[in-house]
Amino acid sequence: MRTPPPLAGGVHGPGALRPLLTTVLDALHQGAQDRGGPLPRGGPAAVADRLRHTVGDLLPTHGTGAETALRTLVRALAAGAADPAEPLCAAHLHCPPLALATAADLAASALNPSLDSWDQAPAASALEALLTTTLATEVHGRGDALVTTGGTESNHLALLLAREQAAAHHQKPHIITGANAHHSLHRAAWLLGLPRPHTLPTPAGVLDPTTLADTLTHLTNTTGTPSHILVTATAGTTDAGLIDPLPALADLCHAHGARLHVDAAYGAGLLFSTTRRHQLAGLDRADSTTLDLHKLGWQPAAAGLFTVRDPTDLHHLDHRADYLNADDDTEAGLPDLLGRSLRTTRRPDALKIAVTLTALGRTGLGTLVDRVCDRAHDLARLITTHPRFELYAPPTISTVLFRPRATDDHHIAHARRRLLTGGTAVLGRAQLDGRRWFKATLLNPHTTPDDLATLLKLVEGTTPR
């Protein structure tokens, strides 16, 4: 009988992994050379055709062997990747992960703990508890946090807790959000069977305290007191990276007895910068927050967190399954992990985050944050001094919106797709103030001013003269 393929864990696992890692790293290098830029050339059909031709049969009768399969598929994936480590790949909140964090993620995959019961993840569960307490304290000065898959799951949790708190009083919560908010909040309301959120206009791109005050007063007068209201604010909007006026919003929520959730999936990284932390003043007063360290934290996805100022809020997630958290096991001192997530099987995503925080410290992370924010201001200056481009506004974090002068929205969409299919640059798009804009989201700390100048030249080459 043939010997089964080697495993990644145990005493012999590292020895089995070592030659395979060499194959993977070589394939990643070769694939990047094949691609030759931030994006593969040719567009969706060409990329799919090349992949099918290279990969062939994904389920052959007889396998190709580990080395061949790894080399072929990893190289094909790298050749067809949108690589955020390329300075001209700047469309989305899609960061280039640190090598350090990626190496830690390999260890997590090799050991494969599952954080749904202590006997599957003894050290990983203890590390996650240390990490969540650390980051909740960083945000609120106290509290607790859950590790999530990202902003969508964290925002879902915020609405779920609001629903359960209101249900204890036989009510449904009123959800208030701005037109600038992430789409996941509306989707969460739908999934949870909640009324459609009250969506307030944000003509300046951020929630207006006066408009919110009027809405809170109206809801209080209409429904009586107490009323269960959740206000959702944003620290780092998806389109422009704008931050709602958190101190004023927190004051209003306190005055009206409303709960405040801040979606800081993008902006939370500013906490690590001594020069930019003040932009998040008032975040500590939120009842809950969303953080994504696979954005302004340079982690491989997923690395989300949901924090709460009051740890007892998380009791609404308590759940029992005898094979995972039997009452007598819990009473005997085994940690109950099942109520730490909506998921059952969970990866130890805390490891890569903890390694990064420990290795770089606040100063190292803050330096990375400052570098990408500084590059955004460099790009804004290049746009402002360029006769053929118009800047939307000075950047708040690291997102820059701009557009060619004397052109229309249709041409901007066409020019963006031309850059994408040519594989030369990856820019996003945003619709603000009734107009379409190119969006550059700078998350690569290795990007240089020369890279930014090259980006503008490429965009300029797609615009009519």
Side-chain angles (χ1 to χ4, degrees):
M1 180 180 178
R2 293 184 60 185
T3 302
L7 304 177
V11 175
H12 303 292
L17 277 172
R18 190 167 285 111
L20 297 177
L21 291 181
T22 299
T23 299
V24 166
L25 295 176
D26 287 346
L28 285 172
H29 177 72
Q30 292 162 353
Q33 288 184 319
D34 294 342
R35 187 180 64 246
L39 202 71
R41 294 179 176 85
V47 171
D49 286 344
R50 285 197 296 268
L51 185 73
R52 281 192 295 267
H53 176 75
T54 301
V55 172
D57 186 358
L58 280 180
L59 188 60
T61 301
H62 301 288
T64 62
E67 186 176 341
T68 299
L70 271 176
R71 184 188 305 111
T72 301
L73 272 78
V74 172
R75 181 173 180 175
L77 189 68
D83 189 351
E86 291 283 347
L88 301 183
C89 186
H92 301 287
L93 291 165
H94 175 201
C95 76
L98 296 171
L100 171 74
T102 305
D105 216 24
L106 169 65
S109 293
L111 294 169
N112 207 29
S114 180
L115 282 127
D116 50 316
S117 66
W118 181 87
D119 58 348
Q120 299 175 82
S125 60
L127 181 62
E128 183 180 86
L130 287 173
L131 176 74
T132 52
T133 300
T134 297
L135 290 176
T137 302
E138 184 69 19
V139 175
H140 303 285
R142 57 191 176 96
D144 199 357
L146 305 178
V147 176
T148 71
T149 54
T152 295
E153 183 182 348
S154 296
N155 287 341
H156 188 102
L157 284 167
L159 268 64
L160 175 63
L161 294 187
R163 186 191 72 176
E164 294 307 292
Q165 290 172 347
H169 297 85
H170 309 289
Q171 295 183 23
K172 285 191 175 183
H174 295 274
I175 311 298
I176 302 175
T177 191
N180 63 343
H182 194 262
H183 64 84
S184 61
L185 289 162
H186 287 264
R187 195 177 194 191
W190 170 67
L191 287 168
L192 292 166
L194 296 174
R196 187 184 297 273
H198 303 267
T199 302
L200 306 185
T202 54
V206 295
L207 269 174
D208 174 42
T210 300
T211 304
L212 177 61
D214 292 343
T215 303
L216 288 170
T217 300
H218 172 73
L219 286 175
T220 301
N221 291 339
T222 301
T223 61
T225 303
S227 179
H228 293 273
I229 299 171
L230 174 68
V231 174
T232 65
T234 308
T237 59
T238 302
D239 279 343
L242 303 179
I243 298 173
D244 287 336
L246 302 180
L249 302 182
D251 287 343
L252 285 168
C253 289
H254 178 74
H256 289 268
R259 187 175 177 86
L260 175 63
H261 171 70
V262 178
D263 179 356
Y266 177 16
L270 297 172
L271 288 170
F272 302 119
S273 168
T274 56
T275 59
R276 291 180 164 87
R277 184 184 176 95
H278 69 276
Q279 292 180 251
L280 295 180
L283 185 66
D284 60 316
R285 298 173 60 190
D287 295 284
S288 61
T289 67
T290 288
L291 286 70
D292 275 6
L293 294 179
H294 53 247
K295 293 183 171 68
L296 203 59
W298 297 281
Q299 300 298 296
L305 290 111
F306 173 71
T307 75
V308 290
R309 189 153 48 103
D310 182 354
T312 64
D313 286 349
L314 298 180
H315 291 174
H316 292 290
L317 300 177
D318 288 348
H319 185 65
R320 311 305 294 183
D322 191 67
Y323 76 105
L324 294 174
N325 60 348
D327 289 340
D328 58 319
D329 277 348
T330 303
E331 291 168 4
L334 295 186
D336 177 5
L337 304 183
L338 197 56
R340 303 289 300 174
S341 178
L342 296 179
R343 294 167 286 148
T344 304
T345 302
R346 290 195 293 121
R347 296 186 77 249
D349 289 316
L351 175 62
K352 61 196 173 192
I353 302 171
V355 167
T356 302
L357 296 180
T358 304
L360 299 185
R362 186 185 305 281
T363 301
L365 278 166
T367 298
L368 295 180
V369 170
D370 289 338
R371 283 180 70 91
V372 296
C373 292
D374 288 345
R375 288 296 83 78
H377 285 279
D378 290 341
L379 179 57
R381 281 190 291 271
L382 287 174
I383 293 165
T384 301
T385 58
H386 197 293
R388 299 193 63 212
F389 289 117
E390 175 186 356
L391 178 69
Y392 173 74
T396 300
I397 306 179
S398 66
T399 297
V400 181
L401 302 184
F402 67 100
R403 57 180 281 143
R405 299 183 185 275
T407 191
D408 59 25
D409 288 356
H410 173 76
H411 179 78
I412 290 174
H414 172 77
R416 174 179 172 271
R417 289 190 292 269
R418 182 176 169 187
L419 293 169
L420 293 178
T421 55
T424 54
V426 189
L427 284 169
R429 56 188 281 175
Q431 198 78 21
L432 290 170
D433 293 346
R435 294 193 293 170
R436 185 169 295 152
W437 303 81
F438 284 116
K439 178 173 72 170
T441 307
L442 303 181
L443 292 174
N444 186 341
H446 293 276
T447 298
T448 67
D450 286 344
D451 293 325
L452 302 177
T454 299
L455 179 64
L456 288 185
K457 285 181 182 177
L458 288 169
V459 175
E460 187 178 10
T462 66
T463 58
R465 294 181 181 273

